[in-house]
Amino acid sequence: MRKPIEPPHYPCLEMGPRMLLGPGPSMVHPRVLQAMAGPVIGHLDPAFLQVMDRIQDMLRYVFQTQNPLTIPVSGTGSAAMEAAVANSVEPGHPVLVCVGGFFGGRLAEMARRYGGDVQTLECPWGEVIDPQQVRKALENRPAKVVAIVHGETSSGVQQPLEGLAQLVHDQGGMLLVDCVASLGGVPLSVDELDIDICYSGSQKCLSVPPGLGPITLGPRAEQVLRDRPAPVPNWYLDLSMVQKYWGAERTYHHTAPISANFGLYEGLRMLCEEGLEASWARHQRNAEMLWAGVEALGLALHVAGEHRLPSLTTVRVPQGVDEMTVRRRLLQEFNLEIAGGLGELKGKVWRIGLMGHSSRTENVKLLLAALEEILRSERP
Ligand SMILES: *Cc1c(COP(=O)(O)O)cnc(C)c1O
């Protein structure tokens, strides 16, 4: 007989709290953690169905939309991104993806995998896409779907969206917007901007642990979904089926992550208590404090003032400083996490997130003091 495999014995988890000032996850309020620690109940329990209805209602407030199809996808922001793409892109359809950073690139890659005939409109990481470029690109080649990132976490840019939907709709397409890093922290109104598909993630400005990806589909997107000649090629993320569980039918599709939804419920409840405008103003205020403090340390911000994303700031690494050493010391000596650059900005910038419960004045002050102390010894 084969020797049985013995069980490994590990210590019980003991995570000291960290100050999370990176691109997500952001810090989670104790009220959210407490909500998640409650007993698990059935996914068709009337008490859970009520939680679902209320989550949808609060999500509509946060997205500023009346769209009936507004739900949290079971999965992180990338799952919501994939749901957005899988449910809107059809094989052979022309798709225009605006790419000003890492996540624009991911959108383009997903659209290709779902058979879209993808054209990209690129800008340097740190700049915005000009709507006139979108107009020109669509004049040359109309697109069924135009995808763009509102808050590009890799570059620290806030992409203006005004007037884009009109351009896209006039030539018969749909506008798809990634607001993973901006929803709840940066002004955005889905209905006012006439966005057709918009998605986010729980762990950025909503300050809930990673695991859910809120998404909303407007009437055009619902119509396209209904008219599809073939089913959505991704079974798990097929919103026409998922909708039957979140809608009146309550048909089982997959087991909802119960505890994760409890956390989202409480996180959204806190955002509703604070009010969207107050949350947007808090994110802006703390970001401005960070920007001023960073510049006072003699560091340069990567993005021009008018296009900076309040929830995520890119700071240029000064000559002669090893960016990794600074981050390691922030974590070891101050228990504080920030991130390095991604893609073409790797090694060139630090990425500092002030999202949700992380966006607090005391956190900004602590980070600035810690950075000052470390840079004093690391600068040549
Ligand atoms: C974080 C992020 C994503 C991906 O979300 P995950 O939760 O990591 O899957 C997508 N887009 C943007 C802009 C993001 O910041």
Side-chain angles (χ1 to χ4, degrees):
M1 219 184 81
R2 266 224 315 261
K3 210 169 142 261
I5 298 172
E6 298 296 330
H9 292 289
Y10 294 122
C12 153
L13 281 183
E14 263 180 76
M15 293 303 141
R18 295 260 199 232
M19 182 168 293
L20 300 177
L21 302 182
S26 55
M27 294 166 87
V28 178
H29 194 281
R31 266 175 61 179
V32 172
L33 294 175
Q34 195 162 18
M36 296 180 73
V40 170
I41 61 175
H43 66 108
L44 291 171
D45 186 315
F48 188 69
L49 300 183
Q50 186 181 53
V51 168
M52 291 167 67
D53 286 342
R54 290 177 175 175
I55 284 176
Q56 289 190 282
D57 209 29
M58 292 190 282
L59 281 179
R60 287 188 196 103
Y61 165 68
V62 175
F63 275 118
Q64 288 289 291
T65 184
Q66 310 218 11
N67 292 339
L69 183 38
T70 304
I71 59 164
V73 170
S74 304
T76 65
S78 303
M81 183 191 284
E82 186 141 2
V85 172
N87 286 270
S88 62
V89 173
E90 293 174 41
H93 277 181
V95 177
L96 178 68
V97 183
C98 302
V99 181
F102 182 84
F103 291 103
R106 181 174 289 184
L107 265 171
E109 167 65 13
M110 281 190 190
R112 278 185 214 107
R113 290 194 185 199
Y114 283 93
D117 179 3
V118 175
Q119 185 183 17
T120 58
L121 181 56
E122 318 224 349
C123 74
W125 293 26
E127 292 176 23
V128 297
I129 303 266
D130 180 357
Q132 293 313 315
Q133 294 172 272
V134 177
R135 182 200 300 277
K136 228 178 282 162
L138 292 176
E139 273 168 12
N140 287 336
R141 198 190 78 143
K144 294 275 193 189
V145 175
V146 175
I148 196 161
V149 178
H150 182 222
E152 182 48 84
T153 331
S154 60
S155 67
V157 162
Q158 181 183 348
Q159 169 68 44
L161 300 170
E162 286 72 23
L164 262 186
Q166 184 83 49
L167 286 176
V168 175
H169 295 152
D170 284 352
Q171 50 92 62
M174 294 194 291
L175 179 62
L176 186 161
V177 175
D178 174 317
C179 67
V180 177
S182 52
L183 187 72
V186 183
L188 175 83
S189 166
V190 166
D191 284 1
E192 198 179 312
L193 291 166
D194 210 5
I195 298 167
D196 300 293
I197 303 172
C198 192
Y199 62 87
S200 190
S202 52
Q203 80 276 25
K204 313 255 171 141
C205 297
L206 300 179
S207 245
V208 170
L212 291 173
I215 191 170
T216 184
L217 271 72
R220 284 181 206 86
E222 276 216 63
Q223 190 62 47
V224 166
L225 186 53
R226 272 194 296 272
D227 294 347
R228 276 184 90 102
V232 172
N234 186 315
W235 184 89
Y236 192 75
L237 298 172
D238 181 346
L239 294 177
S240 61
M241 289 161 73
V242 177
Q243 184 184 21
K244 292 202 168 77
Y245 170 53
W246 284 85
E249 294 100 321
R250 301 295 184 190
T251 312
Y252 165 72
H253 177 259
H254 65 270
T255 310
I258 305 293
S259 308
N261 275 288
F262 287 165
L264 181 61
Y265 177 90
E266 190 59 23
L268 290 171
R269 213 165 74 84
M270 290 187 68
L271 189 47
C272 291
E273 277 174 18
E274 179 180 17
L276 262 184
E277 287 80 5
S279 173
W280 295 339
R282 171 169 56 84
H283 282 79
Q284 183 68 31
R285 200 169 54 239
N286 289 325
E288 282 174 10
M289 184 181 177
L290 173 69
W291 299 338
V294 158
E295 286 184 321
L297 291 176
L299 300 171
L301 295 166
H302 181 63
V303 177
E306 70 269 30
H307 299 311
R308 267 177 222 149
L309 181 64
S311 50
L312 189 120
T313 299
T314 38
V315 178
R316 294 210 178 116
V317 178
Q319 277 284 318
V321 171
D322 179 44
E323 73 88 15
M324 189 61 194
T325 304
V326 172
R327 279 194 290 135
R328 204 191 53 238
R329 288 189 56 186
L330 280 171
L331 196 64
Q332 284 175 353
E333 296 169 30
F334 296 89
N335 204 21
L336 199 158
E337 178 185 280
I338 65 168
L342 267 182
E344 67 180 61
L345 292 176
K346 193 170 159 65
K348 296 185 181 146
V349 298
W350 288 299
R351 294 185 299 145
I352 302 172
L354 292 174
M355 300 175 172
H357 189 50
S358 294
S359 172
R360 277 176 288 156
T361 307
E362 64 264 36
N363 295 358
V364 177
K365 286 184 176 165
L366 204 106
L367 171 66
L368 288 171
L371 258 183
E372 182 172 21
E373 184 180 317
I374 293 172
L375 284 174
R376 204 177 297 137
S377 59
E378 294 295 334
R379 264 179 166 149

